Amino acid sequence: MDRADTDSRIREQIAPFNKKGVTITDGTTFQGDLEFDSLTVMDFVAAIEDEFDIIISMNQQAEIETYGQLVDAVHKQRPDAGTTA
Amino acid sequence: MSDGIMQPDAPEELEGGTADLFSKFDPLIKMREGLLSTGQKDPFSLVMEKVLSPTRAICNGRDTILLGTYNYMGMTFDPQVIEAGHQAMRDFGTGTTGSRVLNGTYQGHKECEDALREFYAMDHAMVFSTGYLANLGIISTIAGKGDYIILDIDSHASIYDGCKLGDAEIVPFKHNDIEAMEKRLKRVPEGAGKLVILEGVYSMLGDVAPLKEMVRIAKEHGAMVLVDEAHSMGFIGENGRGVAELQGVMDDVDFIIGTFSKSVGTVGGFCVSNHPKFEIMRLVCRPYVFTASLPPAVVATAATSIRKLMQGSNKRAHLWENSRRLHSGLKELGFTLGTDEAQSAIIAVIMPDLEQGAAMWEALLEEGLYVNLARPPATPANMTLLRCSLCAEHSEEEVSTILDMFEAAGKATGII
């Protein structure tokens, strides 16, 4: 599995939370661009955790500000992740 | 669209004044000023000029019914409890001036821990200077770097602060969601230490946790379980030991955290446990070691009160009557409540927004009723709540008066 696959699966999960239809790039920020509040973050993180069957702890969440950082963090946790991460 | 992570964080432009470390509080300062500029009385700076009893005080010169004190069992003016405090102050002085592990353990501290062991029928009890410190100390000491803490997302601030201080991986799950908890437990890496943290009663909505199922699942996954029973001690469960007792899971809970500042009626916190190595906590738990112990009068009142709570079944029954009556009365008046039925001695009335909540709070105070106003970020789902906590000393007539006051204030503010 390459990073692009992780990316597209996260893109599917983010759609229902992207109320304003913001164009998402690796630099898109959750708080600034997507205007996620703490409740949205909670639901969104749970959706990603369930999709990939992983844990994104609050400690990790604190380090993730942009979409690209999320894709990297999720991809790194996938047991089948390739070396392209 | 953002320019991406290559761009350094730009400091926010500030209107007037010099930017300093306090600039991060500007949004809150602004929100507060906005609220108070409408003539609204500040809900967070009320002064009780005189306290008449567990249920009455003089506020703004007015005799006020107290319905937001967590003084569930009304022990604060119990004559025997007061006398124990007087005696201890005369015999042992006003304070210990020292840590529990140095010069701060008096006879009274041991007697207080004895009373707790008896109350909970458990092997070990450790008294802290506050309930906040009990959570901070126990959680941060037992769950460290590399360990995983699975906790309800609506956990109290002291629980979150304990998690952070200990540097464990913090994994919250949706409030009271058994399946969400189990999924996360399954995902913890093999071999990592696991601690599940739950509360018996959640103080914002006054709802109870499904401890029976959650504790069973936590144990099946090899986790230790800590339950904060701050809002249940004294009146939930056959012996007042809390929700874990009521739901029959006391034997599977590794640590119970509690406080003296609610049903017990003074200040302080504690942890009780049957863990065979528990006593080592007294040497390794920093919030226990590096702070002064409770004053002699406080531990004497706590010990006396705890022993009286063991015989409190009549008071317990009256508290439950009060809680159920207030719940059904408010529901009939048309208020939206945090739970479908009374699950604890906390009844949360959900307000449409902060402005109307603050207006309702002030209208109630003018009627002569004090409740807690709770607002985001302390509340779940960013709700504004008027939290009512009942006392076993509230009379039937007082509960009727309270309902009349809610009706008048609710109509005056247009909430019902």
Side-chain angles (χ1 to χ4, degrees):
Chain A
M1 289 296 154
D2 55 9
R3 190 180 183 280
D5 173 68
T6 306
D7 180 296
S8 71
R9 280 170 66 184
I10 295 180
R11 256 171 219 281
E12 266 174 51
Q13 292 299 320
I14 211 168
F17 297 95
N18 184 5
K19 298 262 160 56
K20 288 187 173 166
V22 172
T23 309
I24 292 168
T25 69
D26 274 359
T28 304
T29 62
F30 292 103
Q31 212 183 351
D33 299 324
L34 289 162
E35 297 177 17
F36 278 14
D37 60 12
S38 58
L39 290 174
T40 313
V41 168
M42 180 185 93
D43 290 339
F44 175 61
V45 167
I48 298 291
E49 285 180 328
D50 288 351
E51 170 69 19
F52 292 94
D53 200 23
I54 56 168
I55 281 176
I56 307 173
S57 69
M58 285 179 82
N59 320 44
Q60 288 173 283
Q61 289 171 38
E63 304 293 318
I64 299 171
E65 286 175 12
T66 65
Y67 177 78
Q69 289 169 339
L70 175 68
V71 176
D72 289 340
V74 171
H75 194 64
K76 218 164 44 185
Q77 282 202 54
R78 296 185 62 184
D80 50 358
T83 47
T84 51
Chain B
M1 187 55 53
S2 159
D3 292 314
I5 53 171
M6 296 308 290
Q7 192 188 33
D9 289 340
E12 231 175 287
E13 288 287 324
L14 296 159
E15 302 161 23
T18 331
D20 68 8
L21 294 173
F22 276 57
S23 302
K24 56 173 110 33
F25 308 121
D26 287 350
L28 184 61
I29 290 170
K30 217 168 170 181
M31 179 177 130
R32 204 176 121 83
E33 281 171 354
L35 185 67
L36 298 183
S37 69
T38 61
Q40 168 73 45
K41 195 188 287 292
D42 184 359
F44 303 106
S45 61
L46 178 80
V47 176
M48 308 229 172
E49 290 131 28
K50 222 175 155 191
V51 180
L52 309 172
S53 77
T55 62
R56 305 291 265 242
I58 305 290
C59 306
N60 304 315
R62 194 183 197 300
D63 189 342
T64 304
I65 299 179
L66 301 175
L67 191 69
T69 62
Y70 300 139
N71 192 354
Y72 300 120
M73 296 297 280
M75 299 306 282
T76 49
F77 282 82
D78 182 282
Q80 281 174 283
V81 171
I82 288 177
E83 181 44 39
H86 278 163
Q87 193 61 46
M89 197 185 275
R90 279 194 295 268
D91 294 349
F92 291 92
T94 53
T96 67
T97 71
S99 160
R100 283 297 305 273
V101 295
L102 297 173
N103 58 310
T105 296
Y106 289 8
Q107 191 57 35
H109 297 82
K110 295 313 279 179
E111 280 167 13
C112 190
E113 287 172 346
D114 289 345
L116 282 169
R117 271 200 297 274
E118 242 178 85
F119 185 91
Y120 284 99
M122 285 180 117
D123 295 341
H124 306 279
M126 191 168 159
V127 168
F128 290 78
S129 296
T130 67
Y132 176 90
L133 286 176
N135 268 331
L136 197 72
I138 297 292
I139 296 167
S140 67
T141 309
I142 61 178
K145 201 163 176 57
D147 297 327
Y148 279 73
I149 296 175
I150 320 293
L151 79 169
D152 190 291
I153 193 130
D154 287 351
S155 294
H156 189 261
S158 58
I159 292 174
Y160 276 107
D161 291 356
C163 293
K164 206 161 180 182
L165 185 66
D167 217 13
E169 292 294 320
I170 310 165
V171 184
F173 61 86
K174 193 171 169 226
H175 178 55
N176 274 352
D177 188 328
I178 298 167
E179 197 192 335
M181 183 195 84
E182 184 165 23
K183 272 190 205 161
R184 276 150 192 83
L185 270 168
K186 280 189 174 43
R187 292 172 189 154
V188 172
E190 209 162 318
K194 296 185 277 277
L195 174 66
V196 168
I197 302 181
L198 307 165
E199 295 182 33
V201 172
Y202 287 87
S203 70
M204 283 298 153
L205 296 178
D207 55 335
V208 158
L211 288 187
K212 193 175 174 157
E213 292 79 10
M214 286 185 155
V215 171
R216 178 181 56 79
I217 290 166
K219 286 283 137 190
E220 281 170 10
H221 288 83
M224 283 190 143
V225 180
L226 180 150
V227 179
D228 184 327
E229 296 270 18
H231 291 276
S232 54
M233 181 185 185
F235 60 95
I236 294 184
E238 200 190 336
N239 297 290
R241 291 171 189 158
V243 178
E245 183 186 33
L246 181 74
Q247 299 189 13
V249 291
M250 282 293 281
D251 290 344
D252 285 325
V253 173
D254 297 277
F255 311 97
I256 288 179
I257 299 281
T259 177
F260 297 158
S261 61
K262 296 176 171 67
S263 288
V264 178
T266 175
V267 66
F270 63 86
C271 178
V272 290
S273 176
N274 282 330
H275 196 287
K277 298 180 193 166
F278 189 73
E279 291 299 319
I280 196 65
M281 293 297 285
R282 295 190 200 269
L283 295 182
V284 293
C285 179
R286 294 167 65 90
Y288 177 81
V289 174
F290 294 100
T291 195
S293 67
L294 287 168
V298 169
V299 282
T301 52
T304 309
S305 178
I306 291 163
R307 290 194 182 281
K308 288 200 85 169
L309 288 176
M310 293 185 207
Q311 273 89 43
S313 56
N314 287 344
K315 280 177 97 173
R316 266 175 231 161
H318 183 63
L319 178 57
W320 277 107
E321 280 163 21
N322 282 346
S323 185
R324 292 194 182 107
R325 202 152 150 259
L326 183 69
H327 188 283
S328 61
L330 288 172
K331 209 167 159 180
E332 272 166 38
L333 286 172
F335 288 101
T336 311
L337 306 181
T339 53
D340 288 337
E341 73 292 332
Q343 295 184 12
S344 67
I346 298 172
I347 309 292
V349 188
I350 301 171
M351 293 288 110
D353 56 40
L354 180 59
E355 283 68 34
Q356 287 191 75
M360 177 77 185
W361 178 86
E362 188 174 348
L364 284 172
L365 195 63
E366 270 160 24
E367 292 279 332
L369 182 66
Y370 173 76
V371 298
N372 283 154
L373 177 67
R375 58 160 176 83
T379 49
N382 290 327
M383 286 186 277
T384 298
L385 304 169
L386 292 183
R387 264 173 331 150
C388 309
S389 53
L390 286 136
C391 177
E393 298 287 327
H394 281 127
S395 66
E396 221 181 309
E397 298 74 56
E398 270 175 325
V399 177
S400 300
T401 310
I402 289 165
L403 284 169
D404 291 344
M405 289 166 162
F406 259 97
E407 184 172 16
K411 282 179 176 158
T413 52
I415 289 166
I416 52 164

